[in-house]
Each structure stands twice: as structure tokens, then as C-alpha cells.
């Protein structure tokens, strides 16, 4: 990418001034697990080679983790006698996936550096690596998060953005975790990769007017008013496994798959940002990388808080 070196250098400089919570550092494992990043990268590449979709899935895991009590790996926990998993919350149930890829990477890290690399940090690293493998930007991932000992299913239901959200709902959802309006528009661009189930976009394609009529009719044949609930269609119908600016181009053409996506281009204050990113992929890449750093810094557990889980699915 022509803009690759430029936005990477900018991020290295800007990274010095970004607000962080706790003591996170890109070099956190340089002495305790020097091969951590290469082990994770190799694991992500293998996972995506095995199933192209999984990169989008693990990117989404990082999002859904950070929106619930901060970036603490809580989304990875299974049910226990003491709490219900976030995996069965409405935004995640039959939807969140990629857990096996995380398990495999965690096992490799435990073999190389037992009890050192947190599950929360793994989610932050694999999100970046997946974006890069799909052709998107890179950034310096700040590390040093620790893992929560519990999950919060009710918070997952309350705070994770929903496909049915309007612009006001989306704005408030991101504001709740300290992210700006621009962050919301930029991070929604993660939907340039991956798939969505019929149940998440059925209402949009059958009931809304802010959608290209021909596109709606095409989708309606795949996802009728009833049945076909689990049919999967690309969030970006042009390049479903390439990280690019087509997501925004689709919105300008009124071809967003989800209601919440098309709300970003519907005669409102988000329109100008969508147009900017649709016309300038480098601008989108730079903004996305910076917003991912900010999202990764949402209330991490550091120091003696939390733990380093040995198995990402259960507390120690």
C-alpha cells in the first residue's frame, strides 16, 4: 500500500500522546516473552488460511470484549457456577465465533512462555494481525492488559452496539466507553470484512427506505421475511475478505447490509466522514489504526488487578 509507511510513522509519533489507562506498552513482553508477537501472527495466519472468515470473527471478538467492562478478555469465558458467559448475550449468541483460534494461539504461548501473555492482550494482537492479513493498516498494539476473573452478561446485552441501532443509539454506545463520534464512524469500517446472518439485516432490507431498491430485492431473495435465518451474506458485498474502503463506498450507494451501517450515511452529520473515507482509503486506514489503539485502551486491568488466565475459557 502506498500509504502504508506514512500512516505507520504517524502512528508511532501519535502513539506517544494517546491517552492510555494503566501502564500499557508495545514492548511489554520484550523480555518475558520475546517471541509472543510472532507466535500470535503465525497462529492468525494459520487460522485465516484454514477459514477466511475467522479473521473478521476475531476482530469482532476484540470489539465485543472492550465494550463490556473494558478490554479484559471477559468475552472468552465460558459459563461457571458463579456467572453466565457473555457468549450467550444477545449480541454474541450464535454469532460470536473464533474462540478455537484463540485457544490454539493461547496454547502455543503457554508452551513458549507459561503464565505470561494475557487473553485480553491476545485479542488485541489478533485483531491487528487479522486486519493486516486482510490488506489493512498496521499499528503498534499497546500491551500489558490482565484478564478478568468474571464475565458480565447483562452488560454485554446493554452496551454492545446492535445491528438495529440508529445513529443516536450508535453515538451513545460509543460515548459510553469513551469513544468519539469519529471513532464510531471509523471503527464501523471494520465491517469491510466478514459476514452477517439473515436475522441481523432482515428488517433493514424488507422495511427500510434508506437502501438501494435493486440491492434490497437481491437480498430479499436470499433472506425472505421468514426462514433462512442462518443464511450468511457479506457485510461488504464487493470485497468480503479484503480490508479496504469499499464499505464506505457501499454506504454512499445505499448498499449497507445492516441498518446500523446505513445509518452512517442517511442525510446526517456522519455523511461527510463516510464520503471522506470512501474517497481516500489512506485516510480511512490512518484513522482506523488510531481508533483501534484508543479502543484497546478502554479500562484495561493492569498491575495486580485481574490475572493471567492459563486457559482463556475459565478463571484460574
Amino acid at each position: 500500500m502506498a500509504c502504508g509507511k506514512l500512516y505507520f510513522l504517524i502512528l508511532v509519533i501519535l502513539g506517544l500522546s494517546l491517552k492510555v489507562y494503566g501502564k500499557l506498552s508495545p514492548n511489554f513482553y520484550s523480555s518475558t516473552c520475546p517471541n509472543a508477537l510472532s507466535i500470535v501472527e503465525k497462529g492468525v495466519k494459520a487460522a485465516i488460511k484454514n477459514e477466511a472468515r475467522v479473521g473478521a470473527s476475531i476482530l469482532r471478538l476484540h470489539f465485543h470484549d472492550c465494550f463490556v467492562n473494558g478490554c479484559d478478555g471477559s468475552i472468552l469465558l465460558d459459563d461457571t457456577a458463579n456467572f453466565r458467559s457473555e457468549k450467550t448475550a444477545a449480541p454474541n449468541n450464535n454469532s460470536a465465533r473464533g474462540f478455537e483460534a484463540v485457544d490454539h494461539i493461547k496454547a502455543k504461548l503457554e508452551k513458549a512462555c507459561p503464565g505470561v501473555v494475557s487473553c485480553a492482550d491476545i485479542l488485541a494482537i489478533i485483531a491487528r494481525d487479522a486486519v493486516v492479513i486482510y490488506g489493512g493498516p498496521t499499528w503498534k498494539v499497546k500491551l500489558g492488559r490482565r484478564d478478568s476473573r468474571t464475565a458480565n452478561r447483562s452488560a454485554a446485552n446493554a452496551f454492545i452496539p446492535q445491528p438495529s441501532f440508529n445513529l443516536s443509539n450508535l453515538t451513545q454506545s460509543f460515548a459510553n466507553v469513551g469513544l468519539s463520534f469519529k471513532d464510531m464512524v471509523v471503527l464501523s469500517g471494520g465491517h469491510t470484512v466478514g459476514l452477517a446472518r439473515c436475522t441481523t439485516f432482515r428488517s433493514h432490507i424488507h422495511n427500510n427506505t434508506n437502501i438501494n431498491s435493486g440491492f434490497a430485492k437481491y437480498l430479499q431473495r436470499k433472506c425472505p421475511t421468514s426462514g433462512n435465518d442462518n443464511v450468511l451474506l457479506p457485510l461488504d458485498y464487493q470485497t468480503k475478505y479484503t480490508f479496504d474502503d469499499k464499505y464506505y463506498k457501499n454506504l454512499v450507494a445505499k448498499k449497507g447490509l445492516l441498518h446500523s451501517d446505513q445509518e452512517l450515511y442517511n442525510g446526517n452529520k456522519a455523511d461527510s466522514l463516510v464520503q471522506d473515507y470512501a474517497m481516500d482509503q489512506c485516510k480511512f486506514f490512518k484513522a482506523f489504526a488510531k481508533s483501534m489503539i484508543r479502543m484497546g485502551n478502554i479500562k484495561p486491568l493492569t498491575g495486580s488487578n485481574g490475572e493471567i488466565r492459563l486457559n482463556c475459557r475459565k478463571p484460574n
Side-chain angles (χ1 to χ4, degrees):
M1 288 166 283
C3 59
K5 292 183 179 179
L6 175 60
Y7 67 69
F8 182 72
L9 289 174
I10 289 173
L11 283 171
V12 171
I13 295 169
L14 288 178
L16 299 176
S17 60
L18 287 171
K19 182 179 180 181
V20 297
Y21 298 85
K23 297 178 180 179
L24 302 184
S25 164
N27 304 314
F28 188 81
Y29 297 113
S30 60
S31 60
T32 56
C33 193
N35 295 323
L37 294 179
S38 62
I39 291 171
V40 175
E41 181 184 22
K42 187 178 296 184
V44 176
K45 284 181 177 178
I48 292 177
K49 184 178 180 180
N50 183 59
E51 184 200 6
R53 181 189 176 194
V54 79
S57 299
I58 58 181
L59 171 61
R60 186 165 175 259
L61 284 180
H62 184 42
F63 273 73
H64 285 210
D65 181 44
C66 291
F67 272 74
V68 182
N69 295 347
C71 308
D72 60 4
S74 60
I75 193 172
L76 302 175
L77 289 167
D78 290 335
D79 286 341
T80 72
N82 299 315
F83 61 79
R84 294 186 68 187
S85 171
E86 293 168 21
K87 294 176 181 179
T88 53
N92 297 325
N93 195 34
N94 298 317
S95 175
R97 56 194 306 279
F99 299 108
E100 293 78 10
V102 176
D103 292 340
H104 182 74
I105 291 168
K106 176 63 171 173
K108 293 286 186 181
L109 288 166
E110 284 302 306
K111 184 176 180 180
C113 318
V116 173
V117 182
S118 70
C119 300
D121 274 349
I122 292 173
L123 288 180
I125 301 167
I126 63 178
R128 187 272 312 275
D129 288 352
V131 168
V132 172
I133 293 167
Y134 283 143
T138 189
W139 58 91
K140 291 274 190 179
V141 180
K142 294 180 182 295
L143 302 166
R145 300 168 191 80
R146 289 169 64 83
D147 299 321
S148 66
R149 296 186 175 94
T150 187
N152 192 332
R153 188 175 184 275
S154 61
N157 279 319
F159 296 115
I160 295 174
Q162 303 280 331
S164 60
F165 275 11
N166 61 27
L167 189 69
S168 176
N169 298 145
L170 289 169
T171 303
Q172 186 60 55
S173 181
F174 278 72
N176 287 339
V177 294
L179 294 174
S180 69
F181 184 83
K182 180 180 179 182
D183 289 326
M184 181 265 292
V185 178
V186 170
L187 292 174
S188 295
H191 282 176
T192 189
V193 289
L195 308 173
R197 295 169 67 229
C198 170
T199 52
T200 64
F201 56 84
R202 173 179 281 134
S203 178
H204 174 53
I205 65 174
H206 287 281
N207 303 323
N208 290 348
T209 58
N210 62 331
I211 185 172
N212 176 280
S213 59
F215 185 60
K217 289 176 183 177
Y218 163 75
L219 295 173
Q220 288 166 8
R221 291 195 293 271
K222 307 283 186 178
C223 178
T225 53
S226 63
N228 290 6
D229 286 0
N230 293 319
V231 164
L232 296 167
L233 290 179
L235 288 159
D236 168 3
Y237 77 96
Q238 296 192 70
T239 54
K240 62 182 177 181
Y241 296 132
T242 301
F243 200 97
D244 55 25
D245 62 353
K246 296 292 196 301
Y247 168 80
Y248 297 103
K249 294 182 186 297
N250 295 340
L251 297 186
V252 172
K254 295 287 186 177
K255 294 181 178 180
L257 184 65
L258 304 180
H259 173 78
S260 56
D261 287 334
Q262 197 57 61
E263 276 290 285
L264 302 183
Y265 194 80
N266 193 24
N268 54 52
K269 63 179 182 178
D271 287 9
S272 60
L273 282 172
V274 170
Q275 290 170 335
D276 283 350
Y277 300 140
M279 292 187 294
D280 190 339
Q281 181 167 281
C282 287
K283 188 172 186 178
F284 163 49
F285 279 10
K286 293 173 194 175
F288 186 83
K290 287 190 285 186
S291 289
M292 284 296 288
I293 292 173
R294 279 193 283 271
M295 187 184 76
N297 288 333
I298 297 172
K299 297 188 291 187
L301 298 171
T302 58
S304 60
N305 294 316
E307 63 184 15
I308 305 299
R309 272 185 240 139
L310 303 180
N311 180 333
C312 291
R313 293 176 179 265
K314 60 183 182 181
N316 293 340

